[in-house]
Amino acid sequence: MRYLLLICLLCAGWASAAEQSPTHDFTLDNGLRVLLREDHRAPVAVLMVWYKVGSYDEAPGQTGLAHLLEHMMFRGTEKVAPGDFSRMMARFGAEENAFTSYDYTAYFEKFEVSRLPLMLELEADRMHNLTISDEDFFRERDVVMEERRQRTDDNPSAIAQEKLAALTRPGSGYASPVIGWREELLQLQPDQARNWYKKWYVPANATVVIAGDISRDEVEPLVRKYFGAVPAASAPVRLTPRLAAAPGERRAVIEVPVEVPSLYMAYNVPTLATHPEDFYALTMLSGVLDGGYSARIETKLVRGKKIVAGAGAGYDGVSRGDGLFVLSATPADGVSLQTVEAALQKELDALASTPPSQQEMARVRAGVLSGRVFGMDSLFGQAMELGQMVTLGIDWKMADAYAENLAKVTPEDVQRVAQQWLVPQRRTVGFIQKGAQQ
Amino acid sequence: MKNIRQPIVRALCVSAALLSFSGCASLSGSFPTSLKAVEQSQPVQRQLNIEKWQTANGARVLFVPSPTLPMLDMRLVFDAGSARDGDSEGIAKLTSALFAEGAADKSVDDIARGFEDLGAQFNSASYRDMAVLELRTLTDPEFFSKATDLFSVVAGQPSFPQASLQRIRQQMLIGLKREKQVPGPQVSRALNEIVFGDHPYAHDSSGTESSLLALSRTDVQAYYKTFYAAQNAVIAMTGDLTLDEAKALAEKISAALPNGERAPALPRATAATTQNVKHLPFESSQTILLLGEQSIWRGHPDWVPLYVGNQILGGGGFASILTEEVREKRGFVYGIGSGISPMAAAGPFMVQLQTANENADEALAVTLKLVSDFVKNGPTSEQLESARESIIGSFALTAAENDEIVGQLGAIGFYDLPLDYLTKFENEVRTVTVEQVREAFQRNIHPENLAIVSIGPKAPKIPADENAPDDKAAQP
């Protein structure tokens, strides 16, 4: 919406592929990958179409193009007039939307299951028949400008985050906001969108995921009928994000009109795609620090020393390239950002010098195991997980092994990854504090 | 009842009757080929077999068995939202935030570890009408009784430690400061205050700096004892339990709660009789505009026609009139919408949009005109037909997952709705007429009395009331 999904979907529902939910995986002749997940609790289904293209793939100076194209996908095809796609969705009671991230663009509908053929036909149609008129393009660019104002420009915290994110992975597609820099957005042209669509929106670069009250016998012929008719074209070569060596420490003071200061620390770390073993250890490390109300940040910094009013640690370990391990904190009243940084550093040092306890490890694993079950309550979550993994080039069956792999992580592994990755030359430290808008 | 339904609405050209629709010509011929079959299919939905009873001490219980996944969702809903704050603004929210902080002889760490060692999730939250305590746990015996035991101690014997109260209050104060950084929360507060005047819904649930500083542990204890009584509670449950297991669990939980009584009904909010206008100066690139008026309340006889009409006007996402005209045709906004959210004693009609400062005057004028035209003329029969079809078609989505079911059960119990509420609602939607929608809007929505509250660098120009005598100024 058309809105941006900036955060990865790791968390709770991640590991919910499952024994009692059959999953089917096949590929059409035109290269389209199809995944079906059966869940017969209610006569509902979710359809998602994932494209292996995101803002990471934008050429310099063209930030925002991937997301703007996502908007254009609702503006009509050779057969469907602008606005009629959404009207049809609405008429049949479907919820629909889309999201763009650094690594992918995805479209989805959730609907009563008898509507499936229409949903498939419309998604297949806009996979190859999109029309982009100049007039529509410029009006939609205005809408995106409003979206940017609403999300970022009028929120000093968001502005600061955007500036800091630019420092975390300098010189890569991850350094620019998904929605695009304002000045670049304003210069985007219709032909760029047309070329983008032509290059990336081909069946061999897409994955269709359907989760819900379906069977393969009923659905596969429909998928073949509608998506099988989309002409084949070779999938464009997509460059692998480069794996930078430690880029060196970066520190910034960002002055914006905030009433409450905050601290941001982000470490360049590997991900499931770039370093699977360390992915599991870093995931456990993140759980030990911030896996709940009993984890270290809440226990020691929020409640114990009362140094921070709130703080969190998050590991974005599912992406194509290397990722980030982010710590952020809001100081308690009267505490300086320097003090908060020192306190967070002390927690990282503690992990690097002493392995976490077995009880802490067990608690993180308990949350993962129950999360496997809880995640299966959400159809959308199940489809999301499958689509995300396939799109990032990860075997979706790894979700089944997720808990098992986490169980293999030892406290010493956690200590080792803290020593290896959470080091000054891999971090960006930002002080966000009050000042006039820059 | 925030889950009761999501997006929805409106049309497309399928039959000759709808051919006047914009863009329909392009859909002539055989595309989409699947349309006919889909049109003829009758949407079905998951049947909820709701069991309802009262516990020995008078808590209302609603339960739907859902045996597929080995898990339980339990939601205790108390009539303990911020409408019960009285002069202690923010106390409902503060009380709610303190449940995880200590109970009986258990410390905050004991509670946190207790749930998390079991992989169970505990949550507390409060809104204007409701305060909720929630548990999500596996039903395997290894986890189930420990998790529900701990949950009943947390719900029934909270200790509200003084140190926690100070810490959480500090966090709430920081939250208030943070709200001032961005325009949205401030303008919402202002609109509520204007629409609700001296009604208990008028103040923000987060309270104010001075009201929070005045709250004491004794206040919180008294608030808990009065409003978290079993008799003031609804216990909503769904998951892999038998009816007998559900009954035993409900008894255990309600026996743990304080004894008291159901909170008295809130006074009804009244509608404004003139137009109120307020602007808040703020350095931002967009101007946010909120229009609002008190209209109905939960259980109001005009609810269905208003709901259906609102879907057509601005509640139906991309298919609604406001999105079509203000976003799709003019590119003024990213988001625009209207809504009616009925609560126990009130239900404001609201329109919200945000637009670049230079477009604010025009966007406001267009929006007001669209709203007043809709109230004056009502929907077309094509619009109504599409909206009806849309709402009925989306019914399957309202209670498919446990998470949604427990939300529905909580709302049905809390607002004393009949167990077949969803079916009745659907039947009423099927038969609602253009006249009923138009008349319901004319009875309950008065465009000339809509409060207009804005925030941005400059106050927008308020269009003259075109219905007022002697004013011929046409709006764009």
Side-chain angles (χ1 to χ4, degrees):
Chain A
M1 189 78 113
R2 314 92 248 220
Y3 59 80
L4 305 165
L5 191 81
L6 294 165
I7 318 149
C8 236
L9 228 241
L10 230 204
C11 28
W14 198 75
S16 63
E19 309 78 40
Q20 73 236 67
S21 310
T23 308
H24 312 281
D25 182 353
F26 55 93
T27 303
L28 306 189
D29 292 344
N30 58 14
L32 180 74
R33 178 95 175 260
V34 182
L35 287 163
L36 309 177
R37 162 69 54 84
E38 295 185 30
D39 180 333
H40 300 289
R41 292 176 301 157
V44 173
V46 170
L47 166 65
M48 299 186 100
V49 184
W50 291 71
Y51 293 92
K52 292 177 186 170
V53 63
S55 66
Y56 178 88
D57 304 285
E58 289 158 353
Q62 300 185 13
T63 60
L65 185 55
H67 171 247
L68 181 49
L69 194 277
E70 179 220 298
H71 277 240
M72 297 315 296
M73 284 284 279
F74 293 83
R75 303 302 307 163
T77 69
E78 291 160 20
K79 296 173 175 171
V80 178
D84 279 353
F85 181 90
S86 293
R87 268 178 219 119
M88 260 185 278
M89 291 297 158
R91 176 174 169 226
F92 289 103
E95 296 171 6
E96 43 122 12
N97 218 319
F99 50 83
T100 305
S101 86
Y102 294 121
D103 291 328
Y104 44 74
T105 312
Y107 302 81
F108 64 87
E109 294 83 31
K110 185 175 179 186
F111 45 86
E112 195 272 340
V113 70
S114 69
R115 277 66 170 110
L116 180 63
L118 178 65
M119 304 294 148
L120 292 171
E121 190 171 10
L122 290 172
E123 281 293 3
D125 175 52
R126 69 175 174 175
M127 186 175 278
H128 66 120
N129 286 329
L130 192 69
T131 50
I132 299 175
S133 75
D134 287 2
E135 189 195 352
D136 248 9
F137 177 88
F138 290 117
R139 194 167 38 232
E140 206 59 32
R141 198 180 68 185
D142 288 345
V143 170
V144 174
M145 287 303 300
E146 292 304 324
E147 181 178 357
R148 196 193 139 84
R149 289 190 181 98
Q150 187 167 327
R151 288 176 185 283
T152 310
D153 295 338
D154 287 343
N155 182 343
S157 300
I159 290 277
Q161 291 286 335
E162 186 175 83
K163 289 172 194 276
L164 287 166
L167 300 177
T168 58
R169 288 176 280 191
S172 84
Y174 295 123
S176 298
V178 174
I179 199 165
W181 298 110
R182 182 188 152 78
E183 294 73 16
E184 295 183 356
L185 253 180
L186 281 169
Q187 298 180 56
L188 292 177
Q189 297 300 317
D191 268 342
Q192 292 169 323
R194 290 174 195 128
N195 293 337
W196 184 267
Y197 176 72
K198 205 170 154 208
K199 175 176 178 185
W200 297 106
Y201 284 66
V202 296
N205 200 44
T207 305
V208 166
V209 183
I210 308 168
D213 191 13
I214 54 164
S215 70
R216 180 168 180 170
D217 287 351
E218 288 164 351
V219 170
E220 184 176 342
L222 290 171
V223 173
R224 289 190 181 279
K225 177 175 173 190
Y226 296 116
F227 283 98
V230 180
S234 53
V237 174
R238 200 178 179 201
L239 301 177
T240 305
R242 70 196 165 81
L243 310 179
E249 184 173 24
R250 290 130 287 161
R251 302 187 72 92
V253 175
I254 309 280
E255 297 204 332
V256 278
V258 289
E259 300 294 324
V260 181
S262 57
L263 173 75
Y264 173 91
M265 285 167 86
Y267 290 86
N268 296 94
V269 297
T271 60
L272 181 56
T274 63
H275 201 325
E277 293 98 84
D278 283 3
F279 163 78
Y280 293 104
L282 283 163
T283 301
M284 290 301 290
L285 191 159
S286 158
V288 168
L289 275 179
D290 190 27
Y293 214 52
S294 68
R296 290 192 182 186
I297 285 183
E298 284 291 335
T299 309
K300 300 191 170 180
L301 301 183
V302 180
R303 298 202 295 269
K305 295 180 189 155
K306 301 189 177 63
I307 279 179
V308 298
Y315 171 41
D316 174 16
V318 181
S319 74
R320 292 178 69 229
D322 282 334
L324 294 175
F325 191 99
V326 178
L327 297 145
S328 57
T330 301
D333 230 17
V335 178
S336 72
L337 290 171
Q338 284 83 355
T339 305
V340 172
E341 185 189 352
L344 283 173
Q345 186 61 53
K346 208 173 150 204
E347 290 307 320
L348 297 180
D349 292 346
L351 278 169
S353 66
T354 314
S357 72
Q358 288 292 356
Q359 290 96 311
E360 285 177 292
M361 300 286 284
R363 195 172 300 136
V364 176
R365 286 194 290 260
V368 170
L369 284 170
S370 63
R372 257 174 83 78
V373 176
F374 300 159
M376 289 181 48
D377 188 42
S378 167
L379 262 196
F380 186 84
Q382 294 181 65
M384 184 83 197
E385 170 192 301
L386 290 169
Q388 189 182 34
M389 293 190 75
V390 169
T391 301
L392 296 176
I394 303 164
D395 179 3
W396 60 264
K397 295 193 190 75
M398 291 207 22
D400 284 333
Y402 181 64
E404 216 171 287
N405 286 325
L406 282 181
K408 289 184 197 148
V409 175
T410 66
E412 289 70 29
D413 292 332
V414 174
Q415 179 186 21
R416 182 185 55 75
V417 293
Q419 288 168 354
Q420 184 174 347
W421 301 110
L422 306 186
V423 294
Q425 60 270 33
R426 294 193 153 268
R427 78 182 170 204
T428 304
V429 180
F431 282 18
I432 302 167
Q433 55 196 42
K434 186 167 186 162
Q437 184 89 44
Q438 289 161 332
Chain B
M1 209 164 196
K2 68 186 159 86
N3 288 331
I4 192 128
R5 64 218 19 228
Q6 295 281 314
I8 321 217
V9 175
R10 170 167 159 203
L12 147 82
C13 31
V14 228
S15 61
L18 296 181
L19 275 175
S20 59
F21 223 102
S22 77
C24 278
S26 64
L27 283 170
S28 60
S30 57
F31 189 85
T33 59
S34 53
L35 193 57
K36 277 224 153 51
V38 170
E39 268 173 357
Q40 282 155 13
S41 71
Q42 284 300 316
V44 290
Q45 55 198 275
R46 179 174 180 172
Q47 289 308 315
L48 297 187
N49 298 310
I50 305 176
E51 298 281 352
K52 185 181 181 191
W53 67 93
Q54 286 210 344
T55 62
N57 63 359
R60 290 155 283 159
V61 188
L62 291 92
F63 169 65
V64 167
S66 183
T68 317
L69 298 172
M71 59 187 276
L72 166 75
D73 276 289
M74 177 171 221
R75 178 177 294 181
L76 311 186
V77 186
F78 299 91
D79 192 335
S82 65
R84 305 294 176 181
D85 277 353
D87 295 333
S88 305
E89 293 183 9
I91 194 167
K93 196 170 170 187
L94 179 62
T95 304
S96 162
L98 285 169
F99 276 93
E101 295 288 326
D105 59 345
K106 292 179 193 305
S107 70
V108 54
D109 292 330
D110 296 337
I111 294 169
R113 288 191 202 117
F115 284 123
E116 288 167 16
D117 280 341
L118 300 167
Q121 297 173 354
F122 167 79
N123 182 46
S124 61
S126 83
Y127 310 96
R128 273 197 281 199
D129 276 340
M130 302 176 178
V132 302
L133 299 176
E134 294 168 306
L135 174 71
R136 180 170 250 203
T137 179
L138 300 174
T139 43
D140 185 297
E142 188 189 340
F143 308 106
F144 180 73
S145 36
K146 284 185 199 152
T148 52
D149 285 350
L150 181 56
F151 184 63
S152 70
V153 172
V154 167
Q157 302 174 63
S159 57
F160 304 119
Q162 180 65 25
S164 292
L165 187 150
Q166 278 165 345
R167 195 184 79 249
I168 301 279
R169 170 162 54 201
Q170 195 58 43
Q171 289 175 359
M172 289 173 72
L173 289 168
I174 288 177
L176 291 180
K177 272 200 208 170
R178 209 195 291 266
E179 282 187 0
K180 292 185 191 143
Q181 297 173 184
V182 285
Q186 304 179 47
V187 72
S188 298
R189 259 179 196 260
L191 181 79
N192 256 325
E193 285 165 10
I194 288 179
V195 167
F196 289 122
D198 52 9
H199 191 271
Y201 288 149
H203 72 279
D204 194 273
S205 305
S206 304
T208 63
E209 195 180 323
S210 60
S211 77
L212 291 177
L213 287 170
L215 300 177
S216 71
R217 180 165 181 250
T218 323
D219 296 334
V220 170
Q221 286 167 324
Y223 191 85
Y224 168 75
K225 210 163 171 295
T226 309
F227 294 111
Y228 284 78
Q231 297 76 9
N232 200 36
V234 170
I235 301 176
M237 290 183 285
T238 190
D240 187 15
L241 296 186
T242 64
L243 183 58
D244 285 346
E245 288 167 334
K247 286 194 164 160
L249 178 57
E251 284 302 326
K252 172 163 112 178
I253 300 292
S254 69
L257 297 173
N259 263 308
E261 52 197 46
R262 192 168 179 179
L266 296 166
R268 285 259 162 79
T270 49
T273 48
T274 55
Q275 182 187 58
N276 287 296
V277 176
K278 181 167 185 171
H279 178 76
L280 308 173
F282 192 82
E283 278 312 310
S284 50
S285 66
Q286 278 186 326
T287 301
I288 304 182
L289 295 150
L290 300 182
L291 321 179
E293 182 198 17
Q294 160 52 24
S295 59
I296 55 164
W297 51 87
R298 188 61 77 161
H300 193 283
D302 284 336
W303 167 230
V304 168
L306 286 174
Y307 177 81
V308 175
N310 180 63
Q311 289 297 111
I312 298 165
L313 173 63
F318 282 89
S320 66
I321 293 172
L322 293 179
T323 301
E324 171 71 21
E325 294 293 327
V326 187
R327 170 172 163 158
E328 307 284 274
K329 283 201 185 145
R330 294 177 176 82
F332 282 162
V333 299
Y334 169 62
I336 183 168
S338 66
I340 306 175
S341 11
M343 298 176 286
F349 168 76
M350 290 214 266
V351 180
Q352 177 264 330
L353 65 150
Q354 42 205 115
T355 183
N357 295 325
E358 62 269 26
N359 294 330
D361 292 348
E362 198 179 342
L364 174 61
V366 170
T367 303
L368 274 173
K369 174 94 167 75
L370 291 167
V371 172
S372 52
D373 283 355
F374 188 79
V375 173
K376 196 190 299 168
N377 305 325
T380 65
S381 56
E382 290 82 5
Q383 287 170 333
L384 180 69
E385 184 49 45
S386 307
R388 269 206 303 248
E389 194 169 3
S390 168
I391 293 165
I392 290 161
S394 72
F395 250 101
L397 310 188
T398 55
E401 298 167 359
N402 292 1
D403 185 47
E404 294 157 350
I405 293 171
V406 80
Q408 298 286 5
L409 295 181
I412 288 172
F414 186 88
Y415 291 114
D416 296 311
L417 304 173
L419 297 187
D420 61 351
Y421 171 75
L422 294 174
T423 312
K424 281 193 166 144
F425 184 93
E426 184 176 352
N427 289 339
E428 269 192 72
V429 170
R430 279 182 201 283
T431 53
V432 74
T433 65
V434 166
E435 292 69 35
Q436 285 169 338
V437 171
R438 188 179 57 230
E439 286 161 15
F441 265 75
Q442 289 176 353
R443 269 195 298 276
N444 298 291
I445 314 286
H446 310 94
E448 70 282 7
N449 293 344
L450 280 176
I452 302 175
V453 183
S454 54
I455 188 167
K458 182 172 150 277
K461 181 169 170 283
I462 305 300
D465 176 7
E466 59 177 45
N467 295 323
D470 303 324
D471 188 346
K472 306 240 162 42
Q475 298 303 326

